Amino acid sequence: CIKCRLYSTRHSVVFGEGNKDSMLLIIGEAPGYEEDMQGRPFVGEAGKLLTKMLNAIDINRENVFITNVLKCRPPENRDPRPDEIFSCSPILNEQINIIKPKVILTLGRYSSNYILKTNKGITELRGKLYEMKDYIVVPTFHPAALLRNGSLKKLAWIDLQILRDVLREKGFYK
Ligand code: URA
């Protein structure tokens, strides 16, 4: 992803981590400061909340694969730009090809829009699942949004229950 490396004040390229054989792939937006420092996705405050959200539906983060649309931190954590998303997309596409997830949890507008090929806001997209050709997509709020606005947490909990039900149906929980 030449573009996002060009614009990023990065230290790291954060490709993602977790179990590449997992049926669940989680896609966020872009690395933040902590992620850039550690070279790992979702290790800052939003990441801690994501870990708790997963634990609430009996998922251990080591058992899933976690990545982002952008692989490098945008300067000052600004929103990803369309050219950066375009530039990083071959990596994400290849990750999807390798992992072959049955279910994708998209966190926030950018990953939801990329995966669902739409331009709608996350408030409109969340609350339901989307059956695509190769996988089911469950969009929800980005945990950073939940940290900014705690009143969204009850909606995120509904989305997590949707995710849990789909995973149950697919045999994720042994
Ligand atoms: N926010 C994201 O979207 N991804 C991370 O890895 C960390 C924070």
Side-chain angles (χ1 to χ4, degrees), residues 14 27-32 35 40-44 46-47 66-70 107 142-144:
V14 182
I27 309 176
E29 185 176 309
E35 290 75 22
R40 297 177 53 209
F42 282 99
V43 288
I66 304 177
T67 190
N68 288 297
V69 176
L70 292 197
L107 302 170
H142 193 287

Side-chain angles (χ1 to χ4, degrees), residues 126-164:
R126 61 146 297 277
K128 40 191 177 281
L129 53 82
Y130 298 80
E131 300 209 30
M132 311 290 279
K133 189 163 75 70
D134 297 322
Y135 39 72
I136 290 174
V137 181
V138 181
T140 192
F141 294 109
H142 193 287
L146 304 178
L147 290 173
R148 285 193 301 269
N149 181 356
S151 69
L152 298 176
K153 283 186 182 171
K154 57 181 183 303
L155 295 175
W157 176 234
I158 294 172
D159 301 338
L160 286 173
Q161 287 170 287
I162 294 172
L163 176 66
R164 184 180 57 191

